[in-house]
């Protein structure tokens, strides 16, 4: 028993082919959209690639770019088939490969759906990538003279100003590392000696943050040094005072930005997947309606179109049987080659 059978005459077949043709070219534009989203996401990641712990974060944008290109090619080809289906003489050349093309479309739709799911699931590994990347980046903030790290200070400062954040988890993360280069320290000064000797690692630690942590909206001049010393500032209590530096950690800020971006892309890719499924179903109706003409010699005769020639269960059983037979055929061929080699 066929699944979702529909009767067609010539007028309905022409209208169907024209509609699916239009949908295919709309799907080509959707493929361009997926490609563009992948390219935009890749550019956004590359802007702050120094703050990423690994390069695996580029897997998703690369996948989006690839899927976008494949979508453009498949949909352009499908549009050409629908256009030629209006002329029986032109459609003949596509009949032999149409079934394989439809199977390829189904596989592609499955991969596109998996890509959409990855957009939602990649937030978890991104969280760990950002946490470790920011932690290492903050350690290298002072290394402005070290090749390969000389731009880390600029990258972190721009990031903290753009995302209005400070530190990894919060501004106190800067208290735990030396972020001022030794070249700017007077090692003869008592304060510097005391700070270097106050910890086992010999680092110059202080209760201060870089200027990029300052909140320009605060009415009070930025207090970025001696932040926990109430006596160092007039009318100041760091326990109760509304600090004029960003309190929000950069890991959460960046995760919120990239996570929101991935959720938006994932939702759009799901919509594109639905469109791809629709055009695949449309092409199947075009194919089946032209293959079942009551009188192949008369283009105006009636026909029947369907999604599946059999039920879903029967179709699945046939596919599994075909795969098993292909597997047995491969084993027979291997056994024959082995026998020939033995005789030789």
């Amino acid at each position: 028993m066929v699944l979702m059978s529909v009767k067609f005459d010539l007028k309905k077949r022409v209208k169907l082919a024209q509609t699916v043709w239009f949908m295919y070219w709309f799907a080509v534009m959707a493929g361009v959209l997926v490609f563009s989203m992948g390219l935009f996401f890749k550019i956004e990641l590359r802007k702050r690639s120094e703050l990423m712990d690994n390069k695996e974060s580029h897997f998703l944008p690369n996948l989006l770019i690839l899927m976008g290109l494949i979508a453009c090619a498949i949909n352009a080809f499908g549009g050409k088939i629908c256009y030629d289906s209006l002329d029986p003489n032109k459609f003949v050349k596509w009949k032999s490969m149409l079934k394989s093309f439809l199977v390829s479309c189904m596989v592609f739709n499955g991969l596109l759906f998996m890509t959409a799911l990855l957009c939602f699931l990649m937030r978890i590994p991104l969280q760990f990538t950002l946490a470790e990347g920011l932690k290492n980046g903050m350690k290298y903030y002072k290394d402005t003279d070290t090749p390969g790290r000389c731009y880390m200070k600029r990258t972190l400062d721009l990031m903290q100003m753009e995302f209005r954040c400070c530190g990894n988890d919060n501004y106190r993360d800067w208290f735990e590392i030396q972020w001022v280069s030794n070249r700017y320290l007077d090692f003869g000064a008592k304060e510097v000696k005391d700070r270097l000797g106050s910890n086992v690692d010999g680092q110059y630690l202080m209760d201060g943050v870089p200027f990029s942590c300052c909140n320009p909206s605060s009415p009070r001049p930025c207090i970025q040094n001696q932040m926990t010393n109430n006596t160092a500032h007039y009318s100041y209590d760091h326990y109760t005072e509304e600090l004029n530096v960003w309190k929000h950690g950069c890991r959460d800020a960046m995760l919120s930005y990239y996570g929101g971006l991935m959720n938006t892309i994932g939702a759009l890719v799901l919509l594109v997947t639905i469109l791809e499924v629709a055009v695949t179903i449309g092409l199947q109706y075009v194919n089946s309606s032209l293959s079942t003409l009551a009188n192949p010699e008369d283009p105006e005769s009636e026909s029947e179109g369907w999604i599946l020639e059999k039920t879903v269960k029967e179709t699945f059983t046939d596919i599994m049987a075909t795969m098993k037979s292909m597997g047995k055929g491969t084993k027979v061929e291997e056994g024959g080659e082995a026998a020939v080699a033995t005789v030789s």
Side-chain angles (χ1 to χ4, degrees):
M1 186 179 72
V2 297
L3 180 65
M4 298 184 70
S5 174
V6 179
K7 297 291 185 180
F8 289 95
D9 55 20
L10 178 61
K11 187 177 179 180
K12 286 184 178 180
R13 282 196 300 271
V14 171
K15 190 174 181 179
L16 172 66
Q18 290 174 339
T19 302
V20 178
W21 176 83
F22 175 78
M23 290 175 64
Y24 259 119
W25 288 108
F26 189 71
V28 170
M29 299 306 297
V32 173
L33 176 64
V34 173
F35 172 82
S36 302
M37 289 188 298
L39 194 60
F40 173 75
F41 190 27
K42 188 175 182 68
I43 292 171
E44 286 297 298
L45 287 174
R46 285 184 67 86
K47 283 181 182 177
R48 303 167 190 93
S49 58
E50 298 160 324
L51 303 176
M52 304 288 178
D53 183 46
N54 57 57
K55 295 184 178 180
E56 294 176 3
S57 54
H58 290 274
F59 169 75
L60 182 58
N62 289 340
L63 180 61
L64 287 168
I65 290 171
L66 177 62
M67 296 302 286
L69 290 173
I70 295 174
C72 290
I74 284 180
N75 292 319
F77 188 71
K80 173 64 175 173
I81 293 175
C82 285
Y83 181 80
D84 286 349
S85 68
L86 296 172
D87 185 345
N89 296 324
K90 291 183 178 179
F91 185 69
V92 172
K93 64 182 179 182
W94 301 117
K95 278 189 175 182
S96 59
M97 64 176 72
L98 198 51
K99 189 172 183 180
S100 300
F101 177 70
L102 285 167
V103 172
S104 300
C105 289
M106 292 173 62
V107 173
F108 173 73
N109 294 342
L111 292 175
L112 198 59
F113 179 71
M114 294 300 296
T115 303
L117 289 183
L118 278 176
C119 290
F120 297 110
L121 297 175
M122 285 295 286
R123 182 187 179 96
I124 298 173
L126 181 63
Q127 181 177 1
F128 295 103
T129 297
L130 285 172
E132 196 62 29
L134 283 169
K135 184 179 178 181
N136 293 331
M138 290 173 66
K139 290 179 181 178
Y140 303 144
Y141 182 88
K142 67 181 186 302
D143 299 338
T144 52
D145 297 326
T146 305
R149 301 177 186 172
C150 53
Y151 292 106
M152 186 59 73
K153 178 182 181 300
R154 178 178 179 275
T155 301
L156 276 167
D157 283 333
L158 289 175
M159 181 264 298
Q160 291 190 141
M161 289 188 289
E162 180 181 354
F163 287 94
R164 299 185 174 188
C165 59
C166 186
N168 193 341
D169 294 317
N170 54 62
Y171 69 93
R172 288 184 173 272
D173 293 332
W174 289 107
F175 298 178
E176 301 173 2
I177 61 170
Q178 178 181 337
W179 53 271
V180 178
S181 175
N182 288 339
R183 67 180 296 187
Y184 303 115
L185 297 177
D186 181 5
F187 288 95
K190 182 177 182 301
E191 181 189 355
V192 175
K193 290 180 180 179
D194 291 343
R195 288 187 182 277
L196 292 174
S198 64
N199 61 88
V200 294
D201 296 326
Q203 293 184 334
Y204 183 76
L205 305 181
M206 58 180 180
D207 52 347
V209 297
F211 78 95
S212 53
C213 284
C214 294
N215 181 358
S217 302
S218 175
R220 180 169 186 161
C222 186
I223 297 176
Q224 64 181 105
N225 293 313
Q226 300 187 58
M227 294 176 64
T228 59
N229 185 359
N230 293 336
T231 60
H233 311 284
Y234 176 73
S235 184
Y236 174 76
D237 185 352
H238 75 279
Y239 288 111
T240 59
E241 182 81 8
E242 185 67 28
L243 296 177
N244 48 12
V245 298
W246 304 116
K247 295 181 179 179
H248 196 46
C250 291
R251 180 183 62 184
D252 289 341
M254 292 182 69
L255 186 63
S256 176
Y257 172 71
Y258 284 118
L261 192 61
M262 287 190 294
N263 288 343
T264 302
I265 292 174
L268 289 173
V269 174
L270 275 179
L271 292 176
V272 174
T273 304
I274 294 172
L275 175 61
E276 293 290 346
V277 171
V279 294
T280 302
I281 292 173
L283 183 60
Q284 170 60 12
Y285 271 117
V286 170
N287 177 42
S288 56
S289 64
L290 289 173
S291 301
T292 58
L293 288 171
N295 182 8
E297 302 295 330
D298 181 13
E300 296 187 7
S301 61
E302 291 189 351
S303 62
E304 183 182 12
W306 57 73
I307 295 179
L308 293 175
E309 191 173 0
K310 300 178 181 179
T311 63
V312 176
K313 184 178 180 180
E314 291 172 338
T315 303
F316 180 76
T317 303
D318 288 347
I319 292 173
M320 294 301 296
T322 302
M323 292 177 66
K324 286 181 180 179
S325 63
M326 289 174 63
K328 289 180 180 178
T330 304
K331 289 181 179 179
V332 170
E333 288 179 2
E334 289 178 352
E337 289 176 0
V340 172
T342 304
V343 172
S344 301

